[in-house]
Amino acid sequence: MENAKLIYDNPLASEKDIEGFVLEGKANISFEQGVMRLENAMAAENGQKANYVLWCPENFPENVIITWEFKPVREPGLAIMFFAAQGINGEDLFDKNLQPRTGEYPLYHHGDINAFHVSYFRRKEPDERAFHTCNLRKSYGFYLVTQGGDPIPDADDCVDFYRLMVKKQGNIVTFSVNELEVFRFEDDGVSYGPLLKGGKIGFRQLAPMIGDYRNLKVYSI
């Protein structure tokens, strides 16, 4: 990646690799095969209470490339990457004055934080399973700002990891899977609120999905 500088490199291969990470909600996190496996700790029948977010503690700059590898293991469910996440007044995401978050989705799109969230494996509701898309939302506000076709097959057909990449540069956000661009969004800074700056990134899953993750990297551009 030309003109990109690696500023964060985490293999997500052992428990030591997520020291300092912040889990909101309850999850079972394991590393039996040298990759991070996320699974709900509460039964899916508990609805939103069974879902969770795992935040990387680092703050990242405004212009970044985020890459990670992902493999769905069990569905139904849904996987999301949050990025550019911070308080609505520019506070650190973990500022004690912000409302406590417990993994329930409304706290992330109509709480007191701003963020982009790309849902890249959507196999929860019947309509999601019938027509696969990757969606980009911007919050505060839960705006669906763009979407594209999801090239990742169902869990039973996955034989390897997929390399996912978010690029946020200026007012442009792109998302790709195995170097195939899935969508591109140009933010005018008005229609869906002001342009988002830097902030934290985090993984979210919806129960009862199981997913494997490895090789999280962030580049400044």
Side-chain angles (χ1 to χ4, degrees), residues 79-106:
I80 291 175
M81 167 65 83
F82 286 102
F83 58 101
Q86 59 178 232
I88 55 175
N89 295 312
E91 305 97 330
D92 184 89
L93 190 68
F94 303 142
D95 190 296
K96 293 182 179 179
N97 293 315
L98 297 180
Q99 179 183 13
R101 299 177 299 269
T102 57
E104 297 168 79
Y105 204 24

Side-chain angles (χ1 to χ4, degrees), residues 186-205:
E186 184 172 352
D187 194 346
D188 63 14
V190 177
S191 301
Y192 310 108
L195 297 179
L196 300 187
K197 304 298 183 180
K200 289 184 168 60
I201 62 177
F203 299 101
R204 175 176 174 81
Q205 276 190 189

Side-chain angles (χ1 to χ4, degrees), residues 69-161:
E69 293 178 52
F70 165 77
K71 182 181 178 183
V73 177
R74 183 182 73 187
E75 49 183 274
L78 190 149
I80 291 175
M81 167 65 83
F82 286 102
F83 58 101
Q86 59 178 232
I88 55 175
N89 295 312
E91 305 97 330
D92 184 89
L93 190 68
F94 303 142
D95 190 296
K96 293 182 179 179
N97 293 315
L98 297 180
Q99 179 183 13
R101 299 177 299 269
T102 57
E104 297 168 79
Y105 204 24
L107 296 171
Y108 300 84
H109 59 71
H110 276 86
D112 51 10
I113 68 172
N114 290 327
F116 279 113
H117 24 137
V118 53
S119 50
Y120 52 87
F121 186 79
R122 304 172 65 248
R123 305 290 196 278
K124 183 69 171 176
E125 302 301 330
D127 62 325
E128 297 168 352
R129 298 180 64 79
F131 190 69
H132 299 170
T133 63
C134 298
N135 293 351
L136 180 67
R137 292 188 182 272
K138 182 180 177 182
S139 299
Y140 181 88
F142 199 54
Y143 296 110
L144 176 60
V145 297
T146 194
Q147 61 183 178
D150 175 8
I152 301 176
D154 293 340
D156 287 345
D157 295 320
C158 285
V159 297
D160 204 350
F161 282 79

Side-chain angles (χ1 to χ4, degrees), residues 2 36-38 40 46 49 54 56 69-70 74 77 116 132 135 138 151 189 200 212:
E2 189 175 352
M36 183 176 72
R37 174 162 290 187
L38 298 181
N40 51 294
N46 287 286
K49 294 182 183 299
L54 180 65
C56 175
E69 293 178 52
F70 165 77
R74 183 182 73 187
F116 279 113
H132 299 170
N135 293 351
K138 182 180 177 182
K200 289 184 168 60
D212 285 349

